[in-house]
Amino acid sequence: MKSNDILNRSFNVKLRGFDKEEVRAFLSKVADEVYELQQEKKELERKLELASDEISDYEGKQDALNRSIVVAQDAADRLKEEAHNEANHLIAQAEADAKALEQAAEKKVQAMMKEAIAKVHRIQDETEALRQQSVQFNIELNKMLEAYQTVLGDDKWKNLLSIETINQIELEDTIEAVRQMANEDQVVETSESHSEIEDEDGLGNREAVELPDFDDAE
């Protein structure tokens, strides 16, 4: 019922009925209140509709947010799994590279050790050969000195050397001088041989082989 229906309402007249003016005043008041209630109802319906629209909008946003959260969670899980797999791959690759480097270094060290051992053996062989040559040279030198002593011990050679060559130098001093010269030549020759070996192998700073004392050989 609307306010106009209340205002336009008519009643049958009977004996001893209500006062028409009073009834109309009351109906007018009721109509005004009904009108206000109707306006308030319309306002509430409008607000309710707006609230419903806002709720629908919020629900739509919530659905979109929920979908975004699900997508973000899926992306985070996927990235986490990919990062985990990549980390495992990098660790495995690093371990393989480290093992390969270790094996390569070990092979290189073994090769260097073999080469060093071979050089040491070669130097030992060459040193032994030089020692044998030195011994043989000493033997031949002693034989030569003995021959010189035999020749120089002859009276003819003594007179010849004393007059034309050594000018009053004692025979023993001459023999000793010859020995020293021979020793010096042998030391120089041996040192040069060792220098050639050191230059070839890159070892350097090796001591020269000492010759035995020829006085003991006599």
Side-chain angles (χ1 to χ4, degrees):
M1 182 180 292
K2 298 181 180 180
S3 60
N4 291 331
D5 295 335
I6 295 173
L7 291 174
N8 296 326
R9 178 70 176 174
S10 60
F11 298 94
N12 295 325
V13 178
K14 292 184 178 181
L15 184 63
R16 294 182 180 181
F18 294 103
D19 186 358
K20 292 182 179 181
E21 295 297 331
E22 186 178 353
V23 171
R24 289 190 178 278
F26 177 76
L27 291 176
S28 177
K29 183 178 180 180
V30 171
D32 292 338
E33 291 180 357
V34 170
Y35 178 78
E36 290 179 358
L37 291 174
Q38 288 176 344
Q39 294 299 320
E40 184 177 355
K41 179 184 177 183
K42 289 181 180 180
E43 181 66 19
L44 291 175
E45 289 177 349
R46 186 183 67 81
K47 290 182 179 180
L48 179 61
E49 184 178 0
L50 292 175
S52 298
D53 293 339
E54 291 180 356
I55 291 173
S56 298
D57 186 42
Y58 288 148
E59 288 177 349
K61 291 181 179 179
Q62 184 176 5
D63 292 338
L65 181 61
N66 291 334
R67 288 193 297 271
S68 299
I69 292 174
V70 172
V71 172
Q73 185 64 39
D74 293 340
D77 293 339
R78 185 173 62 256
L79 290 175
K80 182 178 179 181
E81 184 177 1
E82 291 177 355
H84 181 71
N85 294 334
E86 182 67 17
N88 290 335
H89 175 71
L90 292 175
I91 292 173
Q93 185 65 35
E95 290 177 351
D97 293 342
K99 187 175 182 180
L101 290 174
E102 182 180 359
Q103 292 176 351
E106 184 177 357
K107 290 181 180 179
K108 186 175 181 180
V109 169
Q110 291 178 355
M112 292 176 65
M113 290 181 63
K114 289 181 180 179
E115 184 179 358
I117 292 173
K119 285 185 177 181
V120 170
H121 289 166
R122 185 170 66 253
I123 292 172
Q124 289 177 345
D125 294 340
E126 293 174 353
T127 303
E128 179 62 21
L130 288 175
R131 189 188 67 80
Q132 293 178 1
Q133 291 177 5
S134 176
V135 172
Q136 184 64 30
F137 179 79
N138 289 334
I139 293 173
E140 294 177 356
L141 181 61
N142 286 330
K143 290 180 180 179
M144 183 178 65
L145 291 176
E146 289 176 357
Y148 285 163
Q149 286 179 345
T150 302
V151 173
L152 295 175
D154 188 84
D155 293 337
K156 293 180 180 180
W157 284 101
K158 286 182 179 180
N159 294 331
L160 181 62
L161 290 174
S162 62
I163 296 173
E164 297 179 357
T165 307
I166 60 177
N167 295 324
Q168 304 301 324
I169 297 176
E170 294 292 337
L171 178 60
E172 294 297 330
D173 293 338
T174 303
I175 295 174
E176 183 64 23
V178 172
R179 287 180 177 177
Q180 290 179 358
M181 291 175 62
N183 285 335
E184 291 176 358
D185 291 339
Q186 184 178 9
V187 170
V188 170
E189 181 181 355
T190 305
S191 299
E192 291 177 352
S193 299
H194 275 281
S195 297
E196 293 176 357
I197 295 173
E198 291 168 359
D199 293 338
E200 178 182 357
D201 296 331
L203 298 177
N205 296 328
R206 297 176 59 89
E207 296 181 356
V209 177
E210 294 183 0
L211 296 176
D213 191 356
F214 293 114
D215 292 336
D216 296 338
E218 293 179 0

